[in-house]
Amino acid sequence: MNLTDIPALRRYWYPLCREADLDNGPLAQRLLGVDLVLWKSDDGKPNAVRDRCPHRTAKLSRGFVENGAIVCGYHGWAFDGAGKCLKIPQRADPAATGKMRVDAFHAKTYGGHVWVALENPVEDIPVFAEDGDPAWRRIPEFVENWACSALRVMENEFDNAHIEYVHQATFGNTRDPIPAENEIEEFAGGFVARAVVRAANRKIGADYTGATGDLTTRTTVHRYWFPFLRKLELTFPNGLCHRIVTATVPVDDAHTRLVQWVYRNDTDADVPAEKAIAFDRAVTLEDKDILEATDPYVPLRDYMTAERHMPSDKPGLIMRRMLVAAADAG
Ligand code: FES
Ligand SMILES: [Fe+2]
């Protein structure tokens, strides 16, 4: 069983791009193996329909936006955000036009990003209390595709054992491989993992936290929302909070769209956004390098036996268990 074999995953919201990415016309995306075209209507609302014209299959993303509709670049058929054909330039009869449709999906903006659900969502997007609160700034970080499984990326986020080895140039390599233990509390639809993580404090990290000394700690409150969303709340010893929202969106079974932004309770004068981003950039590229060297197939039904595990793998095992339960529920 692969991720794209689980129909329940179609009923969740996934961020695919930043709002501003739709300012210059239609954008092609893929979600759970489904090719989509996203665009913005004249009122600024995002739309998502299948990226395949019902006339001769041309990709609608190769077309253009006119009067808020997506227009196919091949023969000019136009569709609205509900998938309804508004215009067939070659036919005067509006009845013929009205019968043509393209599959349409749910789309909305939140947290500066455009989110899509392929079917009626069973959960709303979690509310991030920092969003819009003047005590916090929101810094967009990454929107990019990785050549690996979305599940492996999300499991990795909660894996304290890899830090020492993978993050050698950033906050790992402290000469102590014993990982911080996650204290896990499950809730309906996810879990919270709490830990105090030891971290090397190299220049790149000191730039980002303002902490001094060779070694520091991060108190972490780390929420996971099924299936591919997390929020990592990091508190540094000086009281600075750096809260990372990451979605590891399944583009298909072998590709992930990594979408990440942060909330911080400091100002650009304290730590410039570029420095906050620079540390997370270095960390995520260390992760990407090793994750793209893993098998895109992740065992699900036989997850307890098909790979070997250790105690620090527990968060990922909960995710696998939840995926199997979702597949069984239909
Ligand atoms: S293929 Fe799109 S209008 Fe002909
Ligand atoms: Fe990592």
Side-chain angles (χ1 to χ4, degrees):
M1 179 168 71
N2 283 299
L3 297 175
T4 55
D5 299 324
I6 305 176
L9 297 183
R10 297 168 60 90
R11 302 194 284 267
Y12 290 85
W13 289 104
Y14 303 93
L16 292 177
C17 65
R18 293 183 190 150
E19 278 187 82
D21 292 338
L22 302 185
D23 286 350
N24 300 317
L27 184 73
Q29 286 295 307
R30 178 179 290 173
L31 174 58
L32 288 163
V34 178
D35 285 320
L36 308 170
V37 54
L38 311 186
W39 79 97
K40 213 181 255 187
S41 305
D42 294 347
D43 59 2
K45 192 193 153 300
N47 304 285
V49 303
R50 192 178 294 279
D51 195 9
R52 182 183 166 99
C53 182
H55 177 224
R56 284 296 177 273
T57 78
K59 286 190 181 303
L60 293 168
S61 55
R62 293 283 304 273
F64 54 95
V65 178
E66 191 175 72
N67 300 324
I70 184 85
V71 183
C72 182
Y74 199 172
H75 310 93
W77 291 24
F79 300 89
D80 68 12
K84 192 169 154 233
C85 185
L86 301 177
K87 186 164 101 176
I88 296 179
Q90 298 80 7
R91 301 195 68 165
D93 176 9
T97 304
K99 273 188 265 173
M100 304 299 175
R101 296 197 74 82
V102 62
D103 293 338
F105 308 104
H106 302 272
K108 69 172 166 181
T109 55
Y110 182 64
H113 290 73
V114 176
W115 301 64
V116 172
L118 296 178
E119 293 177 18
N120 289 342
V122 289
E123 299 277 355
D124 210 344
I125 302 165
V127 171
F128 304 123
E130 302 86 349
D131 209 83
D133 179 335
W136 296 84
R137 55 178 170 147
R138 185 180 71 212
I139 305 173
E141 288 200 326
F142 318 119
V143 179
E144 62 200 21
N145 286 15
W146 291 11
C148 55
S149 161
L151 178 54
R152 295 229 187 257
V153 187
M154 186 50 74
E155 290 187 358
N156 176 72
E157 303 288 10
F158 288 83
D159 168 11
N160 290 340
H162 81 288
I163 296 170
E164 179 71 8
Y165 292 89
V166 170
H167 297 301
Q168 300 229 358
T170 52
F171 64 119
N173 194 13
T174 62
R175 309 290 154 100
D176 182 355
I178 305 298
E181 204 168 319
N182 274 315
E183 193 183 297
I184 297 176
E185 198 182 315
E186 292 192 49
F187 58 81
F191 59 80
V192 190
R194 291 183 171 82
V196 178
V197 177
R198 188 182 55 255
N201 192 39
R202 301 190 173 87
K203 173 157 190 333
I204 190 170
D207 281 352
Y208 153 96
T209 63
T212 53
D214 292 343
L215 215 55
T216 183
T217 56
R218 293 144 175 240
T219 303
T220 64
V221 178
H222 202 171
R223 281 185 185 76
Y224 165 73
W225 290 277
F226 183 81
F228 297 110
L229 185 65
R230 68 99 186 233
K231 182 173 176 228
L232 172 61
E233 299 185 1
L234 295 168
T235 305
F236 303 120
N238 60 5
L240 172 68
C241 297
H242 182 92
R243 300 184 170 176
I244 307 176
V245 176
T246 310
T248 67
V249 180
V251 171
D252 51 35
D253 291 314
H255 296 91
T256 300
R257 192 152 180 85
L258 183 96
V259 179
Q260 182 164 303
W261 66 94
V262 301
Y263 299 104
R264 286 173 69 104
N265 62 346
D266 62 353
T267 67
D268 212 63
D270 300 321
V271 174
E274 311 83 73
K275 286 199 171 170
I277 294 170
F279 183 80
D280 289 345
R281 178 71 288 182
V283 170
T284 46
L285 291 179
E286 287 173 327
D287 286 318
K288 178 175 188 269
D289 187 53
I290 197 75
L291 287 165
E292 288 188 337
T294 61
D295 190 340
Y297 176 74
V298 186
L300 287 175
R301 293 221 172 273
D302 55 348
Y303 73 86
M304 281 310 288
T305 52
E307 291 175 349
R308 307 282 92 82
H309 310 300
M310 57 183 175
S312 52
D313 297 320
K314 186 173 176 197
L317 298 183
I318 297 175
M319 294 172 199
R320 295 186 192 196
R321 189 190 76 209
M322 291 180 78
L323 283 161
V324 173
D328 287 345

